[in-house]
Amino acid sequence: MRRAYVLLTVFILLAAYYVQREHGDLDELINTLVIRYQAIKNNSESELGREMEATFTSYELPTRDQRHLISLLTEGKFIELEQLYGQYYSQFSENVVYEGKIVDAYRIFDFAEHLFSKVELWQHHFPESPHPRLAKGILYFHLGWKARGNKLSSNTLEEQFKGMHHYFELAEHEIRDTIAINPNLSPAYCKLLKIAAASGDREDKYYWYREGIKQIPHSYHVRECYLEKLAPKWGGSYEEIDNFVSRSIQDHKENPRLLLLKVLAGYIRAGGYRGDQLYEKALIEINESISYVKRWNNYYKRTQVYMDLGENQLALEDINEALVARPGAFYLLVKKGLILKRLDRLDESMSVYNQAIAFYEYKHLAYEGRADLFWKMEEYDNAHQDYLKALEKNPDSAYAWKYKGLLNHYRLDNSKQAIKDLTVAVGLDSDPDTWYELASVLWHIKDPDALSAYESFLNFCQYEICEKNQVDWASRFIACVNRDTSCTWRKEFYQEWLK
């Protein structure tokens, strides 16, 4: 059986070879291989696609190597660090297909503000090197997004936008200086065009794309970043995306990784459909991408859709597939821990969170996930300790402050501390639900500030969808305290708050 299977595979490869000889088109070759292999396997997720993924992955930097870079940085081994970045850049400059290695080497600075002081020390030791300078620019870039928050523009305060632009200016200064030292680092152009897109400057976005392509004509990464910013939420369209991909993959003979832009286009569309809760369309896009090549991020996207649909077993299968391609990747581990918790496989979930913390002890999300798990297991003191650890790693985590507060109120009988925690949480992220929880704790202890907290809750509900029962409760409470004729409660129920 195995021999027949191998013979069939050889036959397909030979047939595809003749297709390539006839047409000279690698893209057509790959499509032909995928289609014919699927027909024999009768499975939309062919082994050929997995082989293609392995090939493309070999051009990238494994997760373990990224963790090694972080270790060198945190331990102050700047000479070794500089040598490795130089090595990855040399590989890339000699052959553009290895661009993924230098790009992945810089990905360790995404949302890693805790590394800022270490990067400054690195720059102090190597002031003429472009690498610490670009790393610093990337950190400023993500601090800008952190200052802005992740809500819609209509729900974002002016002060948040000011904070974003402040850090973006610092990021742009560092990255422009990087380009002056070395104009061939594609992550620099990627971040500059993303800053332009976030600022709503379409011309600057295109300018930095063109500058990047001028310096690195066959760059996958510069095109990848620009493609992401052609999505409808950035003022683009799916038609623009398709046209851009069609033009870009014409250069695939110089850089085969450009073929992955076809996968990325599907990934972007799937994300848009998921945001609109069009899950069937999202799955069609992801499935088509996965049939082309086994990109880990498509498995991750499909995991998210399955979780939205409550299909947690299917989500688990996909997150495991993603981990085959990216073993030990942080966000994949954290997501797997959450899925296992939803499936009530609590011991397995704990094991995954422990692994994530062992690999990434500096990341707060792993501690938050484990804290939630401890809470579900009714180990409230352990949950409290993990929320504290999460806040040690990231004092600005509104999530950790919120759930530490709720834990204090509902399980640790410490409502006064809960008020302090929830007050910090609403200061970091004016989430209506957090305002409601703060108001409820204040109401519980008969604190007159409950009135203003409920008013704040209703104010934010003008901009976001809130639960109807919460809105009804807050509205009735305020009506009664303000002696409105619409009040239907008995006076003894609200008399403590009467002015």
Side-chain angles (χ1 to χ4, degrees), residues 48 235 277 483:
L48 177 62
Q277 298 184 350
R483 303 174 188 270

Side-chain angles (χ1 to χ4, degrees), residues 361-378:
E361 61 85 23
Y362 52 88
K363 287 185 177 286
H364 69 283
L365 289 176
Y367 290 103
E368 290 173 2
R370 195 172 69 175
D372 294 344
L373 179 60
F374 275 131
W375 190 334
K376 183 168 185 174
M377 297 170 73
E378 300 183 2

Side-chain angles (χ1 to χ4, degrees), residues 296-307:
W296 69 273
N297 50 358
N298 273 313
Y299 282 114
Y300 182 66
K301 180 67 73 179
R302 196 167 69 179
T303 292
Q304 293 174 309
V305 176
Y306 281 146
M307 292 178 74

Side-chain angles (χ1 to χ4, degrees), residues 96-317:
V96 71
V97 299
Y98 290 106
E99 182 181 29
K101 292 201 172 185
I102 191 67
V103 169
D104 288 342
Y106 281 107
R107 289 196 199 279
I108 69 171
F109 302 106
D110 290 346
F111 302 103
E113 308 89 277
H114 65 284
L115 295 175
F116 200 92
S117 60
K118 296 294 185 181
V119 168
E120 287 190 311
L121 279 174
W122 180 17
Q123 187 177 22
H124 175 74
H125 283 80
F126 290 91
E128 302 303 318
S129 170
H131 304 303
R133 193 174 298 276
L134 179 53
K136 195 173 174 183
I138 293 171
L139 290 173
Y140 276 135
F141 171 79
H142 287 290
L143 283 170
W145 276 114
K146 184 177 179 180
R148 183 207 181 281
N150 57 7
K151 295 187 178 181
L152 295 173
S153 297
S154 57
N155 300 341
T156 303
L157 302 176
E158 184 61 32
E159 286 301 313
Q160 291 174 284
F161 280 119
K162 286 181 180 178
M164 179 188 78
H165 290 303
H166 166 70
Y167 283 116
F168 279 0
E169 286 176 9
L170 295 173
E172 187 168 345
H173 173 75
E174 295 291 345
I175 297 171
R176 281 176 176 269
D177 284 352
T178 299
I179 291 173
I181 298 170
N182 184 340
N184 296 317
L185 283 167
S186 49
Y189 299 100
C190 176
K191 287 297 184 283
L192 287 171
L193 72 85
K194 285 187 174 184
I195 289 172
S199 303
D201 194 326
R202 190 178 178 92
E203 288 186 12
D204 260 13
K205 177 176 71 174
Y206 184 70
Y207 170 80
W208 287 117
Y209 162 71
R210 292 304 309 164
E211 286 296 301
I213 294 303
K214 184 165 67 178
Q215 294 296 331
I216 316 155
H218 305 300
S219 170
Y220 167 80
H221 185 59
V222 174
R223 288 179 171 85
E224 172 190 30
C225 293
Y226 186 66
L227 182 64
E228 290 173 353
K229 298 310 175 188
L230 289 178
K233 72 174 184 177
W234 297 105
S237 68
Y238 295 135
E239 184 180 3
E240 283 185 272
I241 287 174
D242 290 337
N243 290 338
F244 180 79
V245 170
S246 295
R247 293 194 307 269
S248 296
I249 63 176
Q250 291 176 10
D251 291 334
H252 64 255
K253 291 180 181 177
E254 285 74 19
N255 183 2
R257 294 186 80 237
L258 293 175
L259 293 170
L260 291 177
L261 292 173
K262 292 183 67 172
V263 183
L264 184 59
Y267 180 89
I268 293 170
R269 275 194 291 270
Y273 290 139
R274 179 179 173 241
D276 294 333
Q277 298 184 350
L278 301 172
Y279 300 121
E280 184 177 351
K281 286 188 173 182
L283 286 173
I284 289 170
E285 292 290 344
I286 300 168
N287 290 341
E288 185 176 343
S289 292
I290 289 175
S291 72
Y292 181 66
V293 63
K294 308 299 173 213
R295 284 274 88 179
W296 69 273
N297 50 358
N298 273 313
Y299 282 114
Y300 182 66
K301 180 67 73 179
R302 196 167 69 179
T303 292
Q304 293 174 309
V305 176
Y306 281 146
M307 292 178 74
D308 292 336
L309 294 170
E311 297 287 350
N312 292 307
Q313 184 57 46
L314 292 174
L316 179 62
E317 292 171 13

